[in-house]
Amino acid sequence: MARLLCALVLALLLARLPGDAIAGRGHHGPAAHDYRDALAKSILFFEGQRSGRLPPSQRMSWRRDSGLKDGASATVDLVGGYHDAGDNVKFGFPMAFSMTMLAWSVVEFGGLMKAELQHAREAVRWGADYLLKATAHPDTIYVQVGDATKDHACWERPEDMDTPRTVYKVDPGTPGSDVAAETAAALAAASLVFRKSDPAYASRLLARAKRVFAFADRHRGSYSTGLAADVCPYYCSYSGYQDELLWGAAWLHRATRSPAYLSYIQANGQVLGAGEADNTFGWDNKHAGARVLIAKAFLVQRLGALREYKAHADAFVCSMVPGTPTDQTQYTRGGLLFKLSDSNMQYVTSSAFLLLTYAKYLAFARQTVSCGGGGAVTPQRLRAIARRQVDYLLGSNPAGMSYMVGYGARYPRRVHHRASSLPSVAAHPGRIGCSQGFAALYAGGANPNVLVGAVVGGPDLQDRFPDQRSDHEHSEPATYINAPLVGALAYLAHSYGQL
């Protein structure tokens, strides 16, 4: 009981820490960017990705209702949710990860967001509502709406979709521990966002998260085994399902503080890859995020049983810190973290978020990162590395270009995005057919609808960005790029006194 009371007191102290202790307020010199403006726009982007019946509060006014019969072919209601990127399919795996990261942004830094907090909550709720629909039937999760191959054979607005809205699911006969555990993580993380503002909704989310995680753990297997022809090569689970089981358990432990999930992590952590040296964190591989999240339980709640996760999290961080013995991360000449050529910016934003979040935990515990012969790495240095990545994204780079649409004087104009690149329904009420839209894909002009806040895949290893709509690797935005950026921008805006 004494240990429990101590943990509760520590958690309350962390929640009430002053801004400079949480966010490192007090940077010397002027801010490189208007982080508050970028924060507002990064959240607004999610409204451009909405599917379903749009609410009266919709601010991205060129969008209209879409996908109003989604789920009908399977006699379920799957209206709503988000398109993950520039097409019209609703892929459940990256959507769930986007919601987990957006919720984590709010959980860690929502207290710094001020006026933008309500918009961020609305963005989380829009996704969480859909995930509740997708998990309404026990032992079944609806993981995708839309035939991806046929969707990609068309270039049309969401409002005009006439490609098959086929529904795909996982169940005991076709397991999907990866997508199921990620969905459980999203629901658990979202429950923390609404724990105080809407307790009844939070309880519903958490109860569903528990049920979905139990299904993921009981019926083990990768969803891209049984659904390979439908989800691959778009969102195959290349890393397997073990990382999601650890990630899901970590979120349920954080949301419930139940000894059952602590025991699960202790018993299964190593088998699920807690100590593996995979340091790429994104929609597919969640190991690094799980390590940082579980390390909080040791650093903040003082759960000594999870001490090893401090070392696991340190290993991930050290892989990104230049000059350390275990530095494994490649950077462009201009200073951008570079993992993969396809949508590299997702790794930039997710890594920056993890660095800032881990710095917060370390600062609370008055600890540093141990990188072997490289010496101690302080929370301040982690924040500086993260800030450099965000600044590059916003325009402090060799090209002088912001990679966030609508931010700064120079930003991507030819974004790989169907709805943004075609005339809006208001401008062109008539239907634009499947093949008719391809003229817009290869046109040279700017997109007629500005997808404000969208962050594209970003430049190549030589810091070059051609701004070509057909170049999906570099010009396509995605919800999982923006979701962790929301938290990072909230930290920076507060840190520089902009919030």
Side-chain angles (χ1 to χ4, degrees):
M1 179 63 72
R3 179 176 293 181
L4 176 62
L5 288 173
C6 182
L8 289 172
V9 170
L10 285 167
L12 287 171
L13 285 172
L14 178 61
R16 297 184 180 185
L17 280 174
D20 55 350
I22 291 181
R25 197 168 202 168
H27 287 291
H28 298 293
H33 293 281
D34 187 343
Y35 302 116
R36 180 176 184 172
D37 180 50
L39 169 65
K41 289 173 176 173
S42 69
I43 298 170
L44 178 59
F45 161 71
F46 286 90
E47 296 191 17
Q49 298 301 108
R50 283 173 170 170
S51 179
R53 192 174 300 282
L54 303 183
S57 60
Q58 173 80 9
R59 295 175 294 163
M60 198 79 81
S61 59
W62 49 267
R63 283 296 319 282
R64 293 290 188 273
D65 297 345
S66 64
L68 297 182
K69 295 182 180 179
D70 280 358
S73 63
T75 64
V76 291
D77 175 12
L78 295 175
V79 176
Y82 290 106
H83 303 296
D84 71 291
D87 53 40
N88 297 326
V89 181
K90 292 194 297 202
F91 292 102
F93 195 26
M95 189 197 305
F97 176 67
S98 298
M99 291 305 97
T100 306
M101 293 308 297
L102 184 60
W104 198 1
S105 285
V106 176
V107 169
E108 295 297 344
F109 301 110
L112 312 178
M113 292 180 184
K114 295 191 176 178
E116 292 305 320
L117 177 57
Q118 184 56 33
H119 291 138
R121 283 177 177 158
E122 289 169 1
V124 173
R125 186 184 286 265
W126 189 270
D129 282 349
Y130 177 82
L131 295 180
L132 286 172
K133 291 182 177 183
T135 57
H137 299 157
D139 286 349
T140 299
I141 302 176
Y142 296 97
V143 299
Q144 184 173 313
V145 179
D147 183 316
T149 300
K150 293 181 179 178
D151 177 89
H152 283 68
C154 291
W155 193 268
E156 58 187 351
R157 301 177 300 199
E159 295 84 357
D160 291 331
M161 283 186 298
D162 56 0
T163 53
R165 301 299 284 171
T166 312
V167 174
Y168 304 91
K169 66 179 180 179
V170 296
D171 55 27
T174 308
S177 300
D178 30 32
V179 66
E182 181 60 68
T183 301
L187 291 165
S191 75
L192 292 169
V193 171
F194 297 101
R195 177 165 287 176
K196 291 183 179 179
S197 61
D198 193 340
Y201 184 59
S203 295
R204 185 184 174 202
L205 291 170
L206 187 54
R208 186 67 55 82
K210 293 176 183 177
R211 190 179 84 187
V212 172
F213 182 78
F215 163 76
D217 190 43
R218 187 168 58 250
H219 302 287
R220 293 195 179 189
S222 174
Y223 92 130
S224 49
T225 298
L227 298 176
D230 307 303
V231 303
C232 298
Y234 310 101
Y235 289 104
C236 286
S237 181
Y238 298 101
S239 67
Y241 61 80
Q242 290 82 0
D243 53 308
E244 278 84 21
L245 285 176
L246 182 62
W247 175 242
W251 274 109
L252 279 160
H253 177 251
R254 178 155 182 181
T256 65
R257 302 288 174 87
S258 168
Y261 295 108
L262 173 60
S263 297
Y264 181 95
I265 293 169
Q266 290 177 280
N268 297 282
Q270 294 310 307
V271 174
L272 297 178
E276 291 181 9
D278 46 355
N279 295 316
T280 299
F281 180 53
W283 63 261
D284 180 37
N285 194 324
K286 320 297 164 48
H287 275 139
R291 292 170 193 136
V292 169
L293 185 64
I294 298 172
K296 183 200 175 187
F298 168 67
L299 290 167
V300 178
Q301 276 81 43
R302 303 288 202 268
L303 290 181
L306 298 176
R307 176 184 299 273
E308 66 186 286
Y309 285 88
K310 165 68 164 60
H312 294 327
D314 281 3
F316 164 70
V317 168
C318 293
S319 75
M320 288 191 295
V321 177
T324 61
T326 55
D327 172 18
Q328 303 171 2
T329 302
Q330 187 175 26
Y331 289 86
T332 68
R333 179 171 289 185
L336 182 69
L337 180 151
F338 198 87
K339 289 285 187 177
L340 295 172
S341 61
D342 189 355
S343 192
N344 179 64
M345 206 60 86
Q346 66 169 300
Y347 307 111
V348 173
T349 60
S350 60
S351 297
F353 175 86
L354 287 187
L355 290 175
L356 292 173
T357 301
Y358 197 45
K360 174 182 172 182
Y361 303 160
L362 289 167
F364 176 81
R366 291 183 169 82
Q367 292 201 31
T368 59
V369 176
S370 175
C371 292
V377 179
T378 66
Q380 290 77 13
R381 188 169 182 201
L382 300 188
R383 290 166 178 155
I385 294 171
R387 185 172 67 250
R388 176 69 186 93
Q389 295 306 302
V390 175
D391 285 349
Y392 184 110
L393 185 156
L394 294 178
S396 298
N397 55 63
M401 169 173 277
S402 160
Y403 292 102
M404 176 184 285
V405 175
Y407 177 86
R410 188 164 180 253
Y411 55 82
R413 306 283 176 166
R414 289 169 284 278
V415 180
H416 184 93
H417 191 274
R418 286 159 173 77
S420 174
S421 67
L422 292 162
S424 68
V425 172
H428 188 287
R431 183 178 172 277
I432 299 174
C434 165
S435 58
Q436 184 182 356
F438 280 107
L441 172 61
Y442 298 107
N447 287 11
N449 309 306
V450 181
L451 189 62
V452 175
V455 178
V456 298
D460 63 16
L461 185 55
Q462 285 72 45
D463 298 295
R464 298 173 304 196
F465 180 74
D467 196 11
Q468 294 177 351
R469 193 175 294 110
S470 59
D471 180 9
H472 68 88
E473 288 192 356
H474 303 105
S475 293
E476 188 169 15
T479 53
Y480 45 84
I481 300 177
N482 275 62
L485 182 62
V486 168
L489 289 169
Y491 155 75
L492 288 169
H494 175 84
S495 177
Y496 281 96
Q498 297 173 355
L499 281 172

